[in-house]
Amino acid sequence: MTDSRSPWSGTTHVRGGFVAESVKKGARITGTDRSKLAGELKKKYTSGSSIRALAEETGRSYGFVHRILTENEVQLRGRGGATRGKAKQH
């Protein structure tokens, strides 16, 4: 039986063979639920998952996942992709 106050919706998302428990959209996550989610997100992020992928898997926003990671002192990766170099001299 699930606790009606729990933010966990009981549904799961499957992406790339990984199962992540979904959280009700906008539900406040505190205490042990937040610590559990933070540990899971940290593990996946340090294993190479992007913040956007983690947000999609958990049903939360990019900002929420970013905040959880920074609150837990995770070293975030650079943006990647093409970067702007020095302007070419003509």
Side-chain angles (χ1 to χ4, degrees), residues 41 50-65:
L41 292 174
S50 70
I51 294 175
R52 289 201 190 283
L54 294 174
E56 187 175 324
E57 286 179 19
T58 58
R60 301 301 295 208
S61 70
Y62 176 97
F64 175 85
V65 174

Side-chain angles (χ1 to χ4, degrees), residues 35-90:
S35 296
K36 179 182 171 187
L37 181 60
E40 187 177 316
L41 292 174
K42 180 177 182 176
K43 186 169 105 175
K44 290 184 213 171
Y45 182 78
T46 56
S47 296
S49 293
S50 70
I51 294 175
R52 289 201 190 283
L54 294 174
E56 187 175 324
E57 286 179 19
T58 58
R60 301 301 295 208
S61 70
Y62 176 97
F64 175 85
V65 174
H66 185 277
R67 185 170 48 255
I68 291 287
L69 292 173
T70 55
E71 283 175 1
N72 288 276
E73 300 176 356
V74 175
Q75 180 69 42
L76 301 179
R77 298 185 295 269
R79 290 176 52 114
T83 57
R84 295 176 65 167
K86 290 185 178 181
K88 292 184 178 179
Q89 299 291 329
H90 289 106

Side-chain angles (χ1 to χ4, degrees), residues 16-45:
F18 182 80
V19 178
E21 200 163 1
S22 179
V23 180
K24 289 181 185 175
K25 186 174 181 178
R28 196 172 293 270
I29 302 174
T30 58
T32 56
D33 285 336
R34 190 174 184 97
S35 296
K36 179 182 171 187
L37 181 60
E40 187 177 316
L41 292 174
K42 180 177 182 176
K43 186 169 105 175
K44 290 184 213 171
Y45 182 78

